[in-house]
Amino acid sequence: MKLKNAHDGLRTWLEIDEEKVAHNYHVFRKLLDKKTKLLAVVKSNAYGHDLFQFAKLQEKLGADWLGVDSIVEGEALRDFGIKIPILVLGYTLPEKFAEAVKYNLSLTISSFENLELLKKWPAKFHLKIDTGMHRQGFLPTQIDKVLKFLQKNKIKNFEGIYTHFPAAKNPAFPNETRAQLKQFLEVTELARKAGFHPLSHAAATSGAIVFPESQLDLARIGIGLYGFYPSKEVAAGFQKKLNLRPVLSWKSIVSEVKNLPAGSKLGYDGTEKLAVAGKIAICPIGYWHGYPRSLSSIGKVLIRGQFAKILGRISMDMIIVDVSTVKGVRVGNIVTLIGQDGKNKMTADELSNLSDTVNYETVTQLNPLMKRVYF
């Protein structure tokens, strides 16, 4: 689809720049050790970027693995034609183990309950080790019991073993992450001494950047592939070296324009009032689409290359913006919610800061029903 016609018939849409996706992919290929495989994390609708199209592009670029949250996502990708290995990172229901085998999906096994199911279903699996995150995973003190279970029951398809770092996003405090890595390496050594040879992986985006010694056999790269830094601290320390490029823009249109007299109250409950006469524009997006209600009277958008402040409360499906100083605004003008228009831009990071959240949440909560246009 040609970009200039991408928004025909749409009130709001997302644009994904494939060249920037490729740029970010190659940034991480260059960053990773040559022996380290790259797992592209595409869970949660590819962080809001479209599960199918983003996964297909990663496979085309050369990703070794894909990471999804659930069997449902994995099945959908297989039905879509994705051939490369897929690791299910989240919890798998017992009744879904048969489907994992059928669709050739690798499971995360992080509890004795699911470990038992491997006696019946010969699914490929990765053991999750809890070295301090305290979400999923076997504690290091349990690994002997786990390995003996695998040996006793002659469990096959032990494909990988991994952990996750909770504090790798802050380079100023490295000791916790390094202690976790040391503990994880001790666990992997026990697995090898027991006769197993799984892929070992510990680093997500921040770990791969800040702690290169944690890249191991495979690195799980998520937020970085979409052009975002995992934290302000990582951005401050590494953005000049990595130069990641956000790949997503969010657009809408002006659906109505009107002049209002001084004293006019705006939106639900009249929380904002015009001090002087002004011009407003209506845009047909709201918190249902993923624009945070917390940005009421705070957020701003771009119209004709200029910033326009949101007035009053954000509705479920509409926002009101002040266009008193924006010349020539008319119905049908493109509104940029995330992205660049002329010399100005509004980034997902800025939206996240204004709404007191993180870039992960801002992009993953973009409504999946909105059309994603890859160009």
Side-chain angles (χ1 to χ4, degrees):
M1 181 178 291
K2 293 181 179 180
L3 183 60
K4 67 179 182 179
N5 297 321
H7 64 279
D8 286 355
L10 299 172
R11 300 190 306 174
T12 185
W13 66 97
L14 302 171
E15 297 172 0
I16 314 296
D17 189 328
E18 293 184 10
E19 288 187 1
K20 292 179 180 177
V21 176
H23 167 84
N24 296 332
Y25 172 84
H26 290 298
V27 164
F28 283 98
R29 273 300 189 195
K30 185 177 180 180
L31 175 76
L32 296 179
D33 188 279
K34 290 183 179 180
K35 70 175 179 59
T36 302
K37 296 181 183 297
L38 189 153
L39 180 149
V41 183
V42 296
K43 65 179 182 176
S44 305
N45 199 31
Y47 291 41
H49 293 65
D50 188 279
L51 172 66
F52 302 104
Q53 295 189 78
F54 198 86
K56 181 180 180 181
L57 186 52
Q58 288 301 311
E59 183 178 52
K60 181 179 178 181
L61 286 168
D64 302 292
W65 284 73
L66 296 176
V68 298
D69 174 61
S70 67
I71 288 288
V72 173
E73 290 179 334
E75 287 181 13
L77 287 179
R78 287 287 186 244
D79 288 339
F80 188 67
I82 298 297
K83 304 296 185 185
I84 61 175
I86 297 175
L87 173 60
V88 177
L89 298 164
Y91 171 69
T92 297
L93 293 164
E95 57 266 35
K96 294 290 187 180
F97 271 60
E99 294 175 41
V101 176
K102 177 182 176 182
Y103 284 88
N104 191 27
L105 303 172
S106 301
L107 300 181
T108 290
I109 299 296
S110 58
S111 69
F112 285 105
E113 290 82 1
N114 275 13
L115 193 64
E116 283 283 344
L117 295 170
L118 294 174
K119 291 193 292 187
K120 181 179 181 182
W121 301 108
K124 297 177 182 178
F125 67 96
H126 292 220
L127 290 180
K128 182 75 173 286
I129 309 300
D130 179 5
T131 57
M133 186 81 170
H134 298 327
R135 296 189 310 186
Q136 292 173 302
F138 297 100
L139 295 170
T141 54
Q142 296 174 313
I143 192 63
D144 282 334
K145 183 178 179 181
V146 173
L147 295 173
K148 287 176 181 177
F149 175 91
L150 297 176
Q151 290 171 326
K152 178 182 177 181
N153 294 283
K154 299 180 180 179
I155 303 295
K156 307 293 184 182
N157 298 323
F158 181 10
E159 197 173 44
I161 185 168
Y162 74 107
T163 193
H164 193 56
F165 300 139
K169 295 177 183 178
N170 194 337
F173 300 97
N175 291 343
E176 181 178 346
T177 299
R178 287 177 177 150
Q180 280 188 275
L181 178 60
K182 181 176 182 294
Q183 191 175 45
F184 176 66
L185 292 176
E186 291 170 354
V187 170
T188 60
E189 183 60 25
L190 290 175
R192 291 190 174 94
K193 285 182 178 179
F196 300 104
H197 301 281
L199 288 169
S200 62
H201 47 114
T205 298
S206 53
I209 294 171
V210 183
F211 301 94
E213 67 272 25
S214 72
Q215 293 176 5
L216 306 180
D217 297 323
L218 181 148
R220 307 181 303 271
I221 309 300
I223 196 75
L225 291 176
Y226 305 94
F228 299 109
Y229 296 91
S231 66
K232 296 176 184 177
E233 293 83 1
V234 173
F238 295 90
Q239 60 185 353
K240 289 184 179 180
K241 176 183 177 182
L242 296 178
N243 187 29
L244 299 179
R245 300 175 184 173
V247 306
L248 176 147
S249 298
W250 183 11
K251 306 290 180 67
S252 183
I253 59 170
V254 172
S255 59
E256 195 167 330
V257 180
K258 62 180 67 176
N259 294 296
L260 294 176
S264 298
K265 293 183 178 181
L266 302 160
Y268 280 115
D269 303 316
T271 55
E272 191 156 357
K273 184 169 67 173
L274 293 182
V276 296
K279 179 184 288 188
I280 65 167
I282 315 302
C283 308
I285 64 97
Y287 55 78
W288 181 84
H289 300 84
Y291 200 87
R293 190 172 183 270
S294 59
L295 292 182
S296 298
S297 295
I298 297 174
K300 52 187 178 180
V301 302
L302 284 163
I303 303 176
R304 297 179 64 82
Q306 297 182 54
F307 287 110
K309 181 179 176 292
I310 291 175
L311 300 173
R313 286 191 175 153
I314 291 168
S315 301
M316 187 182 296
D317 302 289
M318 281 184 252
I319 58 174
I320 304 168
V321 298
D322 182 5
V323 292
S324 300
T325 60
V326 182
K327 295 181 179 179
V329 177
R330 59 177 61 89
V331 171
N333 283 160
I334 290 178
V335 178
T336 300
L337 305 156
I338 297 175
Q340 187 153 353
D341 183 1
K343 296 181 180 180
N344 290 315
K345 64 180 178 180
M346 171 56 67
T347 68
D349 285 315
E350 289 177 275
L351 277 187
S352 304
N353 292 338
L354 286 172
S355 52
D356 193 27
T357 186
V358 292
N359 48 22
Y360 294 81
E361 181 179 13
T362 296
V363 291
T364 56
Q365 70 182 3
L366 293 172
N367 195 305
L369 295 181
M370 291 191 294
K371 187 175 182 61
R372 274 75 171 159
V373 180
Y374 276 64
F375 68 97

